[in-house]
Amino acid sequence: KQEVTQIPAALSVPEGENLVLNCSFTDSAIYNLQWFRQDPGKGLTSLLLIQSSQREQTSGRLNASLDKSSGRSTLYIAASQPGDSATYLCAAETSGSRLTFGEGTQLTVNP
Amino acid sequence: ETGVTQSPTHLIKTRGQQVTLRCSSQSGHNTVSWYQQALGQGPQFIFQYYREEENGRGNFPPRFSGLQFPNYSSELNVNALELDDSALYLCASTRAGTSVSTDTQYFGPGTRLTVL
């Protein structure tokens, strides 16, 4: 059974700081690893999807890496802004479009 | 905007009642999944529908059931509501089915269900 863990559970940083969010998973037989953003009381917005054959993906100030052998993924956010404040969720897909989520990292970027 | 819509936005029910939640998938997507997200937790997979048939279920009892229609819209039905069913219910659509997924899943805004 796939289990996904995210560290830290919460993070508060000043504006402009570069930061790293961590995600680990127990079953390395994944199809892909996805990072989502969730604003309070809202649905999920897809940020990055890394296929199992890839090592990283980049979108603007976001960079996500994947190391299947160690069961780890990281989301790097450069030059953080107050608008980046949200909960960030990682999810591993292990079969047929089914996602196993971590519990998220709640990020606060202070002006 | 993902193109996935859900209704209603909020819903309040009492224990023992039944509820139906609705999801309209993004155009061209033939697979829909439902997730339950309790407060402060990550979403949990309930079940998935592919071309109108259930295509996998998570660890949820049979009182959670669903339907997918020919236009790929979907319903989640929950019978005999319990207090612990209070959560945000999310649906997600994608083009993948039984094949390996290469597409991200697009989530709707969710339905907030409160059971009193």
Side-chain angles (χ1 to χ4, degrees), chain A residues 34 38 46 93 96-97 99, chain B residues 35 37 45 48 55 101 104-105:
Chain A
Q34 299 182 42
Q38 185 173 33
S46 177
E93 180 177 335
S97 304
L99 300 177
Chain B
Y35 292 82
Q37 186 178 23
F45 175 74
Q48 180 186 94
N55 183 39
S101 172
T104 190
Q105 294 197 37

Side-chain angles (χ1 to χ4, degrees), chain A residues 31-32 34 36 38 41-46 48-49 51 89 93 95-104, chain B residues 33 35 37 40-43 45 48 55-56 88 90 94 96-97 100-105 107-109 112:
Chain A
Y31 290 157
N32 61 57
Q34 299 182 42
F36 294 88
Q38 185 173 33
K42 305 294 185 181
L44 308 182
T45 300
S46 177
L48 291 164
L49 181 153
Q51 298 292 344
L89 294 154
E93 180 177 335
S95 64
S97 304
R98 267 163 267 178
L99 300 177
T100 301
F101 284 86
E103 295 199 344
Chain B
S33 301
Y35 292 82
Q37 186 178 23
Q41 298 183 16
F45 175 74
Q48 180 186 94
N55 183 39
L88 181 68
L90 299 162
T94 185
V100 173
S101 172
T102 58
D103 293 330
T104 190
Q105 294 197 37
F107 280 79
R112 172 72 62 186

Side-chain angles (χ1 to χ4, degrees), chain A:
Chain A
K1 176 188 171 185
Q2 179 73 271
E3 294 183 1
V4 178
T5 304
Q6 292 187 243
I7 294 173
L11 184 62
S12 181
V13 300
E15 182 177 3
E17 191 161 300
N18 301 325
L19 54 99
V20 175
L21 308 182
N22 296 292
C23 172
S24 61
F25 47 94
T26 56
D27 183 354
S28 63
I30 62 171
Y31 290 157
N32 61 57
L33 190 292
Q34 299 182 42
W35 284 92
F36 294 88
R37 169 186 172 137
Q38 185 173 33
D39 292 292
K42 305 294 185 181
L44 308 182
T45 300
S46 177
L47 297 174
L48 291 164
L49 181 153
I50 313 174
Q51 298 292 344
S52 61
S53 58
Q54 298 174 323
R55 294 297 297 254
E56 66 178 321
Q57 281 287 331
T58 298
S59 176
R61 295 183 293 108
L62 305 179
N63 175 275
S65 66
L66 175 64
D67 184 343
K68 277 183 56 178
S69 61
S70 67
R72 294 180 182 179
S73 177
T74 60
L75 178 67
Y76 175 83
I77 302 177
S80 58
Q81 303 171 358
D84 295 331
S85 298
T87 296
Y88 290 81
L89 294 154
C90 70
E93 180 177 335
T94 46
S95 64
S97 304
R98 267 163 267 178
L99 300 177
T100 301
F101 284 86
E103 295 199 344
T105 293
Q106 186 174 355
L107 173 66
T108 302
V109 181
N110 301 299

